[in-house]
Amino acid sequence: MSKRVLILTGDAVEALEVFYPYYRCLEEDIQCTIASPVKKKLQTVVHDFLPEMETFTEKTGYKIDSHASVDEVDPADYDGLIIPGGRAPEYIRMNTKVQEIAAHFLKENKPLGVICHGQLVLTTVREYLQDREVTAYPACRPEVEAAGAVFVEQTLHVDRNLVTGQAWPDLPKFMKEFFNVLKKAEKVNAK
């Protein structure tokens, strides 16, 4: 049976953090669904770093279709979840169905990959985040720690089923580790 991965995002998602995981999943013959609060063509953004700026820049990126609204999603139908960063997590985290989906993957110990600002979604389900080790974009550290997680100062970190990364430059290792966790879960479920 083919594995199924859900990508949970919205408008202003960081372009690389949605396109890279989506296409990598397809390359691995994994069925991949992009879900957002409303099924629509999503506007991505491109974040970059300039030496003269203390924070990142933002430009408009390519558009990408979401395949489903979050209300159409049953998280039990998916083997793994990826939550990209950008500005999307700031507003999708307020959606109760988004919170339910994130909680499902933490509670059931199913493979969960979260990168950059995506950890903001996890802060809304803090009862499942307590004492978990995560990394995130460094500016998200206060929210991650306030939610009871342990912030790890690494660009990539794996805590059981939870793979976290700091930003888009970490995507190759992030996806490699996510696939490793997905394969381990498949072996456990096959027993």
Side-chain angles (χ1 to χ4, degrees):
M1 179 182 229
S2 177
K3 290 186 279 296
R4 297 184 72 194
V5 168
L6 179 67
I7 297 178
L8 193 56
T9 193
D11 282 318
V13 58
E14 166 34 67
L16 284 172
E17 293 171 6
V18 69
F19 280 106
Y20 190 100
Y22 178 66
Y23 286 120
R24 282 295 295 121
C25 285
L26 296 181
E27 287 173 352
E28 296 294 324
D29 292 324
I30 295 171
Q31 293 179 30
C32 193
T33 301
I34 298 172
S36 57
V38 176
K39 180 181 174 182
K40 64 182 291 249
K41 191 172 283 293
L42 300 172
Q43 179 62 64
T44 71
V45 295
V46 176
H47 290 149
D48 208 351
F49 304 94
L50 300 175
E52 66 272 15
M53 289 186 65
E54 293 179 17
T55 188
F56 53 84
T57 64
E58 181 176 285
K59 295 182 177 137
T60 304
Y62 294 109
K63 292 189 176 189
I64 189 168
D65 288 322
S66 68
H67 308 116
S69 78
V70 293
D71 292 325
E72 299 170 308
V73 170
D74 180 353
D77 292 341
Y78 294 90
D79 303 297
L81 172 65
I82 296 173
I83 305 174
R87 285 186 298 111
E90 293 173 13
Y91 80 92
I92 69 167
R93 67 181 169 163
M94 304 308 290
N95 183 299
T96 55
K97 182 66 179 203
V98 167
Q99 295 168 11
E100 290 170 19
I101 292 168
H104 170 84
F105 283 86
L106 286 167
K107 184 172 50 175
E108 299 297 324
N109 291 309
K110 291 167 74 174
L112 174 56
V114 189
I115 192 161
C116 198
H117 287 74
Q119 287 79 336
L120 293 176
V121 172
L122 300 185
T123 66
T124 65
V125 291
R126 60 183 61 215
E127 63 271 25
Y128 304 108
L129 196 58
Q130 294 295 310
D131 302 318
R132 297 296 300 267
E133 293 182 351
V134 301
T135 192
Y137 187 71
C140 297
R141 183 177 186 158
E143 288 88 349
V144 166
E145 290 178 336
V150 176
F151 187 86
V152 178
E153 293 188 29
Q154 298 172 343
T155 57
L156 180 74
H157 189 71
V158 180
D159 179 356
R160 295 172 285 175
N161 66 309
L162 181 57
V163 179
T164 54
Q166 283 193 346
W168 59 260
D170 308 314
L171 281 164
K173 290 180 182 175
F174 173 82
M175 287 306 297
K176 181 179 180 181
E177 290 301 329
F178 178 77
F179 288 144
N180 285 339
V181 170
L182 199 59
K183 286 176 190 165
K184 286 179 191 172
E186 183 180 38
K187 288 178 185 174
V188 168
N189 292 334
K191 291 181 180 180

